[in-house]
């Protein structure tokens, strides 16, 4: 491996990066399975480390290169923020429909976080809304 290059390898069915810097060996476990897309992700991280080594900005603690934890808010909080954003951009009658819809979002999703909502959960929400006879079907068309 040439000096300053970062190698993408598979270890225990997961991708990891390996390299040397100032005589020390480093490994960064990406934690992703070996797929074409994940290899591209690992290669991008390897390129970032190589550039940092070349420019003198390498972080030997590896904190800079580890995945950052994603903070997730609840679906209800996100919808509340969306409604507040729309307040100044839409007509009052349309805004009233958004605020009426907030209750449905809150009841269905409860404290579920946005990061945990998959396509199937969204489809279940749509189906749940369609089962509510008080709503017009055109209000649910998404």
């Amino acid at each position: 491996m040439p000096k300053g290059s970062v190698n993408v390898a598979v270890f225990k069915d997961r991708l990891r990066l390996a390299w040397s810097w100032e005589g020390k060996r480093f490994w960064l476990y990406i934690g992703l399975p070996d797929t074409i897309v994940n290899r591209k992700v690992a290669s991008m991280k390897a390129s970032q480390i190589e550039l940092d080594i070349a420019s003198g900005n390498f972080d030997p603690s590896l904190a800079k290169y580890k995945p950052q934890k994603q903070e997730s808010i609840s679906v209800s909080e996100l919808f509340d923020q969306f409604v507040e954003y729309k307040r100044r951009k839409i007509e009052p009658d349309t805004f009233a429909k958004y605020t009426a819809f907030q209750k449905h979002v809150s009841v269905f999703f409860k404290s579920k976080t946005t990061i945990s909502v998959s396509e199937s959960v969204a489809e279940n929400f749509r189906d749940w809304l369609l089962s509510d006879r008080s709503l017009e079907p055109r209000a649910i068309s998404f």
Side-chain angles (χ1 to χ4, degrees):
M1 176 168 36
K3 185 177 180 179
S5 67
V6 178
N7 184 36
V8 177
V10 178
F11 181 75
K12 294 185 179 180
D13 298 323
R14 299 285 182 195
L15 294 173
R16 78 172 179 183
L17 306 178
W19 69 98
S20 293
W21 178 74
E22 293 187 351
K24 295 180 184 175
R25 287 290 287 159
F26 288 86
W27 293 273
L28 181 66
Y29 294 86
I30 304 297
L32 299 172
D34 186 17
T35 66
I36 293 170
V37 171
N38 291 344
R39 277 200 173 253
K40 288 180 182 179
V41 170
S43 292
M44 289 173 55
K45 185 67 67 178
S47 295
Q48 178 188 7
I49 294 169
E50 288 172 352
L51 286 170
D52 284 355
I53 289 171
S55 66
N57 293 314
F58 176 65
D59 175 11
S61 75
L62 304 184
K64 180 178 181 179
Y65 312 109
K66 292 180 181 176
Q68 303 300 311
K69 288 189 178 185
Q70 292 182 337
E71 291 201 24
S72 185
I73 63 173
S74 73
V75 175
S76 296
E77 288 174 300
L78 179 62
F79 193 74
D80 291 346
Q81 289 177 12
F82 170 74
V83 170
E84 191 55 37
Y85 166 79
K86 292 299 252 180
R87 175 189 300 273
R88 297 173 292 284
K89 301 184 181 325
I90 57 178
E91 297 296 320
D93 288 346
T94 304
F95 181 74
K97 292 175 185 175
Y98 279 83
T99 55
F101 199 63
Q102 279 177 303
K103 178 183 176 194
H104 296 288
V105 171
S106 182
V107 168
F108 182 84
F109 289 103
K110 297 178 179 62
S111 62
K112 186 176 278 288
T113 60
T114 55
I115 204 164
S116 66
V117 176
S118 64
E119 187 175 340
S120 64
V121 171
E123 289 170 352
N124 290 342
F125 179 55
R126 180 203 55 217
D127 295 344
W128 180 77
L129 288 172
L130 287 169
S131 71
D132 185 343
R133 302 283 181 219
S134 68
L135 294 172
E136 294 181 35
R138 67 185 173 133
I140 304 165
S141 61
F142 55 86

